[in-house]
Structures are given as structure tokens and as C-alpha cells.
Amino acid sequence: MTSPGELPLIALLGIALGFGLLVGSFLNVVIHRLPLMMRRDWRAQCMEEIAEPAPAVPEGPFNIVVPRSRCPQCGRGIRAVENIPLVSWMVLRGRCAGCRAQISPRYPAVELLTGLMFAATAWMLPWPEQALAGIVLTGALIALTFIDIDEQLLPDSITLPLLWMGLLFNLAAGEQAFASLPDAVAGAVAGYLFLWLVYQGFKLVTGKEGMGYGDFKLLAALGAWLGWQMLPLIVLLSAVVGAIVGIAMILLLGRDKQVPIPFGPYLAAAGWIALLWGPQLTDAYLHLSGLG
């Protein structure tokens, strides 16, 4: 990998790590607030449909920017100095500065994960177009992963723009595109149709819905970014990891078999792996199978 200009690789990785920590702090807000915003919209639409006034919302405007972040226990606003990624959580020993209620360790975990994944993306992909585009894709996949874990939901407000961004990047990036535009369009179509057909087949056989439409859109978005050639690898990796984790949760944690397990995190993880190591993994598989 060549770094932009004369910037040393270690400095580049440090910048990517630091930027990822900051973005991870923002992603925590998105992960928490976006489902709440969607519920508000759904409630207002339902009230409008049945010709009843929507209930008053005491906290006023609510979106990704406002109101300020605050402790869910005591309602105390979080000051900027208390919102420094990783550092503030460690200085406060994982507790609110006001009421001393515990702050979930997942917040710094998301920040650290984002920083490390941004650094890995900057290290593995050529600068500038692929690395910057890969960082954007990585951030979106992290947000989708944790929203799906919490809510079993993959919001259209992330998956659909992600699909169009993948197509536009491959249209405009020239030699640094991840895939040709025809391959990207075919990837978007094939990604959606494949999981839609799996969904319909499973529903026909069992009478149950095996996954949500958000999974179709996420795989379509990954196809739009990486091209149809990466779809078999993404599907294989996500299915294998999902099966292993699901069986382990049932056997080790006693999870009820009837409780659905979100598939989005496995698709996202497989998509990120394919983003960084897709061609190498595909070549290794073909070599081992004697097809290469």
C-alpha cells in the first residue's frame, strides 16, 4: 500500500485509528437513536392513518444531532470533556460523573472496534479512493451490525444509500473501482434476488419467515460495492459463521431455538472480510479445490 504523499505508514495508520475512534463515538449515537427515531415516525404515521392526533413527545426534537447526549439514569448532560473516545470512559471508570451509574462497556468497545477497523482498511486498501471509500463502507457496516443485534432491524436509511454509494463509487473511481459498473449492477441485483429466493423457498417449506427484507438490501449493497464475483464468498462466510455462532449459543448459553438470530451482523462481517481479502480468499479456495 502506498500512503498519500510522503506521509509515513505509521502516521497514516495513527490518523485512521484516531479518526475511527471519533467516528465510533458518533456511531454509538446512531446505533442508539436511529431506531428510536424510526419508532417515532411509525407511531406518528399510525396515528395519522387512524385519524388520531399523535401523542405529545415530552423530550421535543429528537434526531442524530439533538438533544445532547445525557445519562439515561439521572438525565445529566454529558460534557464534551466526558465524551472523549475511550479516554473519558476509562477516566470515569465506566460510570456517570453525576449519579455514578454504570456506563455500558459497549460504548468504548464500538469506538475501539471502529478505530481498529478503519486502520486495517487504510492499511490494506490503496490510497486514496479505495481506502477512503472502504472506510465509509466499514462505518456503515458497524452501525448496521449493532442496530441489528439490538433491534433485529437493518434500516433502509442506511442500506439503500449504501447501495447507491457503491454503484456511484464504481462508476466514478476509474482504475480504483472495486468492480466494473456492470459487475456492480449485477452484484446489486443478484445479491437481492438470491436472499429473496432463499426467503421465499424457506417460507414455502416451513410457513415461516427465515429473514427480513433488510438482509436482502444489505447483500445487494455489498454486491453494488464489490461486484457479483464476491457474493459467493460473502454468502458462504456469513452462513458458516452464523451457523457456528447460532449452534454455540444454543448449546453453551441455552438459547431457545425459536428465538430468531439476526443475520445482518454475519453479512456485514463477511462483506468487510471480502472488502479487504476477497480476491486472496477466492484464489486460495480455487487453488485448494483444484479449480485454480
Side-chain angles (χ1 to χ4, degrees):
M1 187 202 74
T2 58
S3 59
E6 298 300 323
L7 191 65
L9 178 59
I10 188 67
L12 173 63
L13 297 183
I15 292 172
L17 175 64
F19 179 63
L21 293 176
L22 294 173
V23 172
S25 181
F26 172 72
L27 292 181
N28 276 320
V29 177
V30 175
I31 292 164
H32 173 68
R33 293 193 181 187
L34 184 56
L36 297 177
M37 292 162 54
M38 295 173 68
R39 288 197 190 97
R40 283 191 173 196
D41 290 341
W42 294 337
R43 185 169 60 240
Q45 292 170 12
C46 289
M47 293 299 101
E48 182 179 348
E49 187 68 24
I50 62 177
E52 290 188 11
V57 181
E59 59 266 37
F62 188 86
N63 53 47
I64 299 299
V65 179
V66 294
R68 286 178 52 198
S69 297
R70 57 187 63 249
C71 173
Q73 298 297 324
C74 65
R76 176 180 178 275
I78 298 175
R79 296 177 298 172
V81 71
E82 299 167 356
N83 206 26
I84 302 172
L86 287 184
V87 175
S88 295
W89 189 87
M90 290 187 291
V91 170
L92 294 171
R93 298 182 180 180
R95 295 189 177 276
C96 171
C99 67
R100 306 306 297 167
Q102 185 174 8
I103 302 171
S104 172
R106 199 178 85 172
Y107 291 111
V110 170
E111 293 167 355
L112 181 59
L113 177 67
T114 305
L116 293 175
M117 290 178 70
F118 277 22
T121 303
W123 183 24
M124 293 298 300
L125 297 180
W127 275 89
E129 286 90 346
Q130 278 200 7
L132 293 175
I135 282 173
V136 171
L137 175 58
T138 299
L141 293 178
I142 292 171
L144 288 169
T145 292
F146 285 96
I147 291 174
D148 204 21
I149 290 173
D150 290 344
E151 307 287 342
Q152 295 189 6
L153 173 72
L154 294 171
D156 285 354
S157 55
I158 299 179
T159 56
L160 296 183
L162 196 62
L163 188 156
W164 288 110
M165 288 170 65
L167 294 177
L168 290 173
F169 174 77
N170 286 319
L171 171 65
E175 293 182 357
Q176 286 213 25
F178 292 114
S180 68
L181 183 60
D183 287 345
V185 173
V189 174
Y192 189 94
L193 284 180
F194 175 76
L195 286 187
W196 182 83
L197 290 172
V198 171
Y199 166 89
Q200 295 295 342
F202 184 84
K203 186 176 181 180
L204 182 64
V205 173
T206 66
K208 301 177 181 179
E209 296 183 355
M211 62 182 66
Y213 278 63
D215 297 316
F216 315 163
K217 298 167 190 175
L218 176 54
L219 187 58
L222 292 172
W225 277 88
L226 305 178
W228 65 267
Q229 295 89 339
M230 287 295 108
L231 292 179
L233 175 64
I234 294 171
V235 171
L236 178 62
L237 286 175
S238 59
V240 170
V241 175
I244 292 173
V245 173
I247 293 172
M249 292 177 67
I250 292 171
L251 296 179
L252 301 179
L253 302 179
R255 185 186 180 103
D256 189 343
K257 296 179 182 179
Q258 302 303 316
V259 177
I261 298 174
F263 190 50
Y266 307 118
L267 281 175
W272 188 72
I273 292 171
L275 170 70
L276 300 191
W277 299 285
Q280 297 93 318
L281 290 173
T282 301
D283 290 343
Y285 172 78
L286 293 176
H287 177 74
L288 291 174
S289 62
L291 300 175

